[in-house]
Amino acid sequence: DGVPRRNGRATRMRPFRNQHPVSVLNKSLAVTVLLLLLLVAPRMVEAQSSPPQLKGQHFAITALAEPGFLDIVENGDATSIEHRFSFSGYLIEMMAAIAHPQRANFTYTLRPPSGHGSMCVPSLSSESTNTTTTNDYAKEYHTQYNCGASEVHDVTTLFNGTTTLYSTDMYLGMYYVTPSRQLINQFTIPFLPPFSGTLAMFGTATGIANFDTLVQHQVQGLLDPQTTCGPGGSALIDFVVQSFPGLQIRGLFGGEDEIYQAFYDGSCQVYITDGPIAAQFVLRRSRQDQCTNNQGQPIGVIGDPMHFGLSHYAI
């Protein structure tokens, strides 16, 4: 007969009106919230999937070389700066992805540092520079981070507020976000959580356990201070010297070939840079059978890395 029964006896159904009023209220609220979510959620997803747009603007970008991250190759037969160099690496792929019309929506041209920025060494904008021996966009500028940065912020200083052939809108590279740079420029922070660089040593010197030992070897005359090197035109050297009073570091300009040559001829016995870059240098050169200097001394990572970083990385 369709009547609910318990132990053979009919049970009485409780009408809806007899339910607790709080229970009814909770059910009503749940339905209301569900309806609101169905209406609002699509808009929230749409908002999250729509990144800021730059509306098709075009930017000139100074690119700084860092093997594996940003490689620069010169095309000898090119007639214009836009076609004179080829760029590849992780940072180039990242820039192309960000600039996509469905994302930030902008176009750009890449170029290495021209050498005309006030912090380039030598600066081609300086009257004392012999321009007959140094050319625009020469390879010696490709790894000078301060040089690349100055071609952006010099627009308001050296270039008297006007855009020139050599000034650019932004610079692209593996930069340290230092306080002095933050006073002038804005940075992206792509690493979450923010990542601080850990500096390390590599080269041919032996008996150096850490950075404190390096200072002692220089002071005691066990290591010529001029053979302790670091990347010229970067923020790294000043930071390390301030962190370890008494330490001397010579700026070496150029890329991996110049670093290897300095190890090979003995003009550098210690080179200070980011830990991962040091390890990758040793690995790449070992695969090219370039493991020793001209005296047969092995090139490798030296001692322990620094136990604190320079500052946050940025691209």
Side-chain angles (χ1 to χ4, degrees), residues 16-304:
F16 181 80
R17 63 177 178 271
N18 289 337
Q19 293 186 19
H20 197 282
V22 175
S23 175
V24 176
L25 178 62
N26 287 341
K27 289 182 179 181
S28 300
L29 287 174
V31 172
T32 303
V33 171
L34 178 60
L35 290 173
L36 286 173
L37 285 175
L38 291 174
L39 292 172
V40 175
R43 298 182 182 179
M44 294 175 61
V45 172
E46 181 180 356
Q48 292 176 355
S49 61
S50 300
Q53 294 280 305
L54 292 176
K55 301 179 181 179
Q57 296 184 62
H58 184 84
F59 300 101
I61 301 177
T62 298
L64 279 299
E66 191 68 69
F69 290 97
L70 201 160
D71 297 294
I72 303 175
V73 177
E74 185 166 6
N75 306 315
D77 57 348
T79 57
S80 64
I81 186 60
E82 286 76 14
H83 301 93
R84 181 175 164 185
F85 299 94
S86 298
F87 302 86
S88 61
Y90 169 75
L91 270 63
I92 300 301
E93 296 173 3
M94 183 200 72
M95 180 60 69
I98 293 174
H100 192 277
Q102 298 301 318
R103 290 181 176 168
N105 186 27
F106 64 92
T107 59
Y108 57 91
T109 53
L110 296 169
R111 62 188 67 177
S114 69
H116 285 264
S118 60
M119 300 180 71
C120 301
V121 181
S123 174
L124 298 180
S125 295
S126 173
E127 296 180 356
S128 61
T129 300
N130 184 356
T131 57
T132 61
T133 59
T134 307
N135 298 320
D136 296 342
Y137 305 101
K139 185 178 179 181
E140 63 187 283
Y141 297 120
H142 292 187
T143 57
Q144 292 190 34
Y145 279 72
N146 290 335
C147 176
S150 64
E151 293 189 355
V152 176
H153 58 65
D154 276 353
V155 171
T156 59
T157 55
L158 182 65
F159 302 137
N160 298 319
T162 60
T163 301
T164 72
L165 175 65
Y166 305 109
S167 60
T168 55
D169 301 299
M170 63 182 78
Y171 49 91
L172 174 65
M174 296 290 291
Y175 275 85
Y176 286 116
V177 187
T178 62
S180 60
R181 286 174 175 164
Q182 285 183 302
L183 291 174
I184 302 173
N185 302 125
Q186 295 180 335
F187 290 86
T188 58
I189 305 293
F191 302 104
L192 296 174
F195 178 73
S196 297
T198 301
L199 304 182
M201 301 174 283
F202 67 109
T204 59
T206 58
I208 300 176
N210 49 46
F211 279 81
D212 291 318
T213 309
L214 175 62
V215 177
Q216 295 173 9
H217 279 221
Q218 286 190 0
V219 173
Q220 296 171 3
L222 301 176
L223 181 70
D224 182 357
Q226 288 299 306
T227 64
T228 299
C229 306
S234 73
L236 182 149
I237 293 179
D238 289 341
F239 168 77
V240 177
V241 170
Q242 293 172 5
S243 301
F244 294 90
L247 182 62
Q248 299 181 47
I249 305 175
R250 177 170 63 88
L252 181 66
F253 295 94
E256 285 200 353
D257 290 341
E258 287 73 20
I259 297 173
Y260 173 73
Q261 183 58 42
F263 287 149
Y264 188 79
D265 62 26
S267 58
C268 287
Q269 297 185 57
V270 176
Y271 192 91
I272 301 173
T273 189
D274 304 296
I277 294 176
Q280 286 296 315
F281 177 96
V282 174
L283 176 61
R284 279 193 292 268
R285 291 293 162 166
S286 66
R287 290 173 174 173
Q288 300 175 40
D289 197 24
Q290 295 177 334
C291 308
T292 61
N293 64 4
N294 58 6
Q295 301 296 319
Q297 297 172 311
I299 299 172
V301 176
I302 300 173
D304 296 329

Side-chain angles (χ1 to χ4, degrees), residues 1-13:
D1 55 3
V3 177
R5 300 176 182 275
R6 180 181 299 170
N7 297 327
R9 298 177 60 185
T11 58
R12 183 179 179 182
M13 296 291 294

